[in-house]
């Protein structure tokens, strides 16, 4: 539910509405627009007397939203949200696609710097690299932790690139927020509401990956938890869903569900990016699926790159060679340019 | 298993190899190349004495193929197969994408002609329209049957377009082959080996849709049944797979699995097309997913079009308006043109 | 939609209602009950003037059914349907579970007879064995065909057992109906409406397996096609659904979905059996899952048995040794006996 | 990898082996058996010189385990693990099934006490109730938190029942461990390695639910994280997996995957329980699926019970009436009794 205030409503009217909503034990989210203000309601709306709200001075309209999320819907935020990582790095809206690239795991300062330099040359704007790795096996390399974060910060500073890295434990949220520009919540943590909320409270941009068996409505209901803590800097990310199995092995580790790209862009105002590295799990499919992602409207890509994939401590099979990244970025930008010259969209 | 003959092998050598294979109770498939001939073996290879074959005069090499299919693999057919529907309509290889469009169901001569004319104007080369509809419910419209086939032939003749239509019952295979240029085997019949084989024997091009829960290896094992009957005019088609369900409704009726487009093109020599109408189930996603399909290498698209979707006797929700088809085709061709200017492929 | 006639309605009233319904171009299905008659309607109900029907002489009630199937729903058939294969072999209702067992493929008269004798001794009532095998690969053993059917008939006669065997091609329906007591439609053919309808018309009992990615409503919509041709001798069968895949291999080839056993029994009046051989794909899981199936209400089991599994021409890994079958049947009957002593059901 | 020591090995031998393994930067897990000791190795085994270990004094055998988990496999722990919650409540091994029951959410002291009393009377041994609820929507009831935990402790004390409750946030692990006897890690947190490890370190029994799209190998790899922190008090729990979706709604919210019950019991030494409330999502399926679970070997059940389901703050549709619980427990025990009289297993 959201309350649209009249253009001529006074700050006093606004305050009264906020007070009234809170008197029902609910929280509020105020959005100040150029012409008018809108108030989002957080919590169980059934507690509220709708008619009561409608007749308060300054209220133009009370909108009931039927989807299970409200604050992240286009009914509530009607313009495209552009996440501005830096003045020159903006994700979403009419901006050209943004490329995030780097190794799966940060293995050393030297390794990260070597790869980072190459991805920057290839045209990537944001450096990715994992310090806290979500791993299935307790027996595998678990990431360098805080040491990795320091390498990330140092390399980023040296090359003047913003960074994105995954946060996995609630205990590390504040530390990660200190070292990185964008906090990534991985697919395995899409349902981890406490981690999501702790991350949201840092007010840093959140790259929020879709869980691999989550429906769109479910995904957005968890994104709502970010917005519900006052953080609208949300970057959505499709990274592949659980494939069907059977007598035959699935051809790819995950099924990249590109249908959701145009769908998410229609339902929500946030930028949507795609991770073709995890979404295919095979280096040779990264280029074609990157182009497909841009062709259906993705606002950016997140790509794993390693210059010595056979030595990589994780995910070598899907890492792209830095030399191939530059061709990939060029192709994607050409497709985007066609795209942006076509004015209208079909219904 | 396949037997590669030496360039200098004589017809007599060839005949001897064929005879030897058949003496084991197996069937053969001979491919006459420009420089040398290759013989494919159909049946249980374990029956054969490999060493015996290797020493026959004229034999250069005996190749064992580990995948569950052989005749449809790139190890057996090493060049792209181009399916030539007419002199001016070629699918696959370096040819620009081909567009098949028309109504889901043929409802009358008038309806089909009206829509066909519009899709032709929009740039579609092949007319689609269903006479025998696979339907879940016995209580729904089941298609016009033979009457529909006649409308299809008549409209096609009048507008000079080749046609594709689905064949559902083994009893109708010969009839459908008489009226249409391409026989479509629908997703629900991907496992229907008797229908597949009966259709293959007509020697008509077969548009063979992937079943909605089939793995790529499984899909190609059934495509092998077409090739095993000497029919290499195979058009593969991704049309969406069963989505994951759960507490929330899947956002789209099917999950369009575009990963398999570059994958199928790598594994097999046949053209691969995409059906974004069924693969999304929503009109508003058809355009973006069509572009994505072309961007990742599809050789064509199959699109449901209806000028009065609210009146359509089937699948109205996913039918595109003919006016939008022309923009779609233009966008797709622009993307293809970029594509075709990029020479190399990664990996 | 179904029309419930008054107890006192005359044959003439009944005839008038049937005539009226048919005058709308629809078909009818008449059920003669002890006290009153019910008429089912087949086809698109929207064509009918409901009010018109309601006022016809002899009509007590017109019932609109919201589910996508009608003739197979408990709203239409209110008592349990018992499929009587022979006087001493009845499936469904309050009858003890029935066991169908035998080899996956019929390989020879000798093999079938040897195994059949053992499964009969173990307590199985119905002999199963495949003559027309649905196979993924054109290179595998495809079944003995008509020769296999003859072995089946001969062995069955010698041992005095009724039989069940799969029909795969529409062309073979009549032949199979001549040789076997129950026609099985396999999971791969659940969507094959023409095969279903041809089989239904033989009036033989139909063992109708659920497709491996079909929902219950969808499954029953296809079962409706059997009932729609006047055949109510339907045995439903859960045999496992497509498992989820991913980085790790699914632990079992299929996921046996036992939830649907109590669900199908609630929704429909037909017997429901379970195939734990295909539903697990592993011999060592057949016993525990058989017991589970009976514990949740299955009316029978279909089990693959082979005395020399390593030599079996198909599905050896899941075939049970005949020696284990007898223990399995004993355990299942004990569980059924507990079951049948518990009077009421929850909710 | 595990190292089996000779029966006659001295403590000094043991210490030397432990020291050697640790010198490679790996961790160890020592199991003291009646006759001989076994040492498990935690971490990347490739770092170790296998031959070196084999020749150390006192070493009988070095076993390499091919599955992705080791410490939770039957190759490492060869006897059934019985989790002893109290002297009179033992889960696993030859013990009769244990029943955990109670409301989904703790709503008040009064509500919990009222229901707890009834489930105890019905025969349940362990009280369940959620204080920290994992919820999709930020707008729903999120649980009473610490207040709920206090009610749980107080009611449990009054009725002398051990308790199980879910822990969701890493920050709450210690608090929950103070108030409850068993810590539950929910399906949504199966991949939350930091929460798993923090919970394991409390040394409390861990009820570890399978994620709804996790394979068995993946599930056990995460269970390995519990064992890797020296906690072997693990209770595994199947609670339903993501159903397949499609045009038709899945008949149940989740697909209860009972195949994994006998499978997990074969692969691991730990007790396996089933949650039919979440695994079906429908009250009317809880009884039949409970019986099925016991019939295929489950060591216990976890069941949601509410005496006023229409008022429940969460999951009312799947909550059983306390009156029905007693019949359910009786039926399950009868099935278990048959079971336990059948000595051998197939295979």
């Amino acid at each position: 539910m959201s309350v649209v205030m009249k253009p001529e409503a006074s700050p006093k009217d606004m305050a009264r509405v906020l007070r009234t909503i809170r008197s029902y034990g609910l929280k509020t989210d105020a959005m100040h627009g150029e012409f008018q203000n809108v108030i989002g309601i957080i919590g169980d709306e059934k507690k509220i007397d709708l008619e009561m709200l409608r007749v308060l001075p300054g209220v133009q309209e009370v909108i009931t939203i039927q989807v299970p999320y409200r604050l992240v819907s286009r009914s509530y935020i009607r313009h495209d949200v552009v996440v501005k990582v830096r003045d020159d790095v903006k994700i979403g809206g009419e901006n050209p696609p943004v490329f995030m690239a780097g190794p799966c795991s940060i293995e050393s300062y030297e390794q990260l710097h070597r790869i980072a330099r190459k991805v920057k040359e290839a045209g990537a704007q944001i450096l990715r690299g994992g310090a806290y790795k979500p791993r299935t096996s307790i027996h595998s390399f678990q990431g360098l932790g805080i040491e990795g974060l320091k390498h990330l910060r140092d390399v980023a500073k040296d090359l003047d690139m913003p960074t994105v890295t995954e946060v996995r434990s609630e205990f590390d949220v504040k530390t990660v927020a200190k070292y990185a520009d964008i906090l990534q919540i991985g697919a395995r943590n899409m349902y981890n509401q406490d981690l999501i909320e702790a991350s949201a409270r840092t007010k840093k941009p959140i790259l929020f990956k879709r869980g691999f068996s989550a429906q769109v409505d479910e995904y957005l209901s968890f994104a709502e938890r970010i917005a519900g803590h006052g953080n609208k800097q949300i970057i959505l990310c499709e990274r592949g869903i659980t494939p069907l199995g059977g007598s035959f092995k699935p051809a790819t580790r995950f099924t990249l569900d590109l249908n959701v790209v145009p769908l998410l862009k229609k339902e929500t105002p946030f930028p949507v990016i795609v991770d073709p590295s995890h979404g295919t799990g095979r280096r040779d499919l990264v280029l074609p699926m990157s182009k497909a992602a841009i062709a259906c409207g993705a606002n950016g890509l997140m790509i794993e790159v390693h210059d010595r994939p056979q030595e990589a401590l994780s995910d070598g099979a899907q890492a792209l060679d830095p030399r191939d990244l530059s061709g990939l970025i060029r192709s994607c930008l050409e497709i985007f340019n066609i795209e942006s010259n076509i004015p209208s969209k079909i219904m």
Side-chain angles (χ1 to χ4, degrees), chain A:
Chain A
M1 193 149 68
S2 59
V3 181
V4 184
M5 301 299 291
K6 289 181 182 155
E8 67 273 20
S10 70
K12 228 167 130 182
D13 292 342
M14 181 89 173
R16 192 183 301 105
V17 174
L18 290 170
R19 220 163 42 233
T20 309
I21 296 171
R22 289 178 196 143
S23 74
Y24 288 98
L26 299 166
K27 291 182 191 159
T28 55
D29 176 80
M31 289 221 314
H32 301 280
E34 207 172 334
F35 300 111
Q36 51 189 166
N37 296 329
V38 179
I39 299 167
I41 299 178
I42 303 164
D44 184 0
E45 305 176 345
K46 282 172 300 201
K47 296 184 185 168
I48 269 197
D49 180 347
L50 207 73
E51 287 319 304
M52 166 74 121
L53 273 187
R54 267 201 188 112
V55 298
L56 286 180
V59 168
Q60 180 176 293
E61 205 184 346
V62 176
I63 298 171
T64 311
I65 300 175
Q66 291 307 330
V67 288
Y69 47 87
R70 305 163 210 166
L71 308 175
V72 299
S73 77
R74 281 215 181 263
S75 321
Y76 182 57
I77 306 181
R78 297 176 187 204
H79 59 275
D80 283 351
V81 168
V82 173
V83 175
K84 198 166 138 182
V85 185
R86 287 201 327 199
D87 281 352
D88 56 339
V89 182
K90 295 172 198 161
I91 312 175
E94 304 297 314
N95 294 293
V98 166
F99 300 88
M100 312 181 179
C104 178
S105 293
I106 299 169
E107 299 168 17
S108 68
Y109 177 85
E110 192 278 331
Q111 171 250 20
L112 183 64
H113 197 282
R114 197 179 69 227
I115 296 174
R117 200 160 35 77
K118 289 177 183 169
V119 304
K120 191 182 181 181
E121 278 167 24
Q125 298 101 321
I126 298 177
L127 178 62
R128 61 147 290 157
Y132 299 96
K133 298 304 301 170
R135 298 307 296 270
T136 298
S137 174
I138 193 175
H139 307 292
S140 312
F141 175 61
Q142 311 284 316
L144 293 182
I146 178 81
E147 195 195 343
L149 288 182
K150 285 178 183 164
H151 296 332
L152 186 67
R153 178 200 55 191
D154 295 346
V155 168
K157 204 171 166 191
D158 192 54
L159 298 175
D160 190 29
M161 291 177 89
T163 58
V164 57
T165 198
E166 178 160 356
V167 58
R168 212 187 55 206
S169 166
E170 291 173 65
F171 289 116
D172 298 326
V173 168
K174 283 182 186 162
T175 310
V176 175
K178 220 170 75 188
Y179 286 96
D181 297 294
I182 304 174
L183 267 59
Q184 174 181 324
I185 291 175
R188 288 175 168 183
N189 280 312
M190 194 207 87
Y191 295 108
N192 188 342
Q193 59 193 75
D194 301 282
L195 179 67
I196 293 169
E197 298 187 5
S199 301
R201 283 190 294 263
T202 66
K203 303 295 179 195
K204 289 268 179 173
I206 307 292
L207 193 163
F208 185 51
K209 289 194 163 186
R210 179 185 178 199
F212 31 75
S213 65
Q215 301 298 346
V216 164
D217 278 2
E218 201 175 10
Y219 179 32
L220 293 180
S221 294
F222 281 91
E224 182 96 345
R225 290 190 177 271
I226 304 174
H229 283 82
N231 188 339
K232 304 272 167 56
Q233 307 234 71
I234 303 172
I235 304 161
L236 299 170
C237 181
E238 161 63 24
R239 48 78 69 211
I241 54 172
T242 299
L244 301 181
S247 313
F248 290 87
K249 218 171 151 291
T252 51
R253 270 182 68 183
F254 292 97
T255 300
L256 191 64
D257 183 9
L258 291 183
N259 274 352
V260 305
V261 173
L263 221 145
L264 284 170
K265 295 195 67 175
K266 196 173 172 184
E267 291 300 314
T268 81
F270 301 105
V272 178
I273 71 166
V274 169
D275 172 350
S277 303
H278 286 91
T280 67
R282 289 173 55 149
R283 184 178 312 129
D284 59 340
L285 301 185
V286 170
L287 172 62
M289 298 318 288
S290 293
K291 294 192 288 191
I294 298 303
C296 65
N299 298 105
L301 297 173
M302 182 168 216
I303 291 173
E304 287 189 3
V305 172
H306 206 292
D307 52 353
R308 300 169 190 169
Q310 66 294 346
E311 290 176 18
L313 293 182
S314 57
D315 281 351
Q318 69 196 34
L320 208 68
D321 190 283
R323 280 168 309 204
D324 294 321
L325 182 63
S326 125
L328 181 152
I329 292 179
R330 218 167 33 237
S331 299
C332 286
L333 290 176
E334 284 195 62
I335 288 175
F336 171 77
N337 287 334
I338 294 176
E339 196 68 5
S340 54
N341 294 330
I342 299 163
S344 66
K345 292 227 165 63
I346 288 173
M347 226 239 26

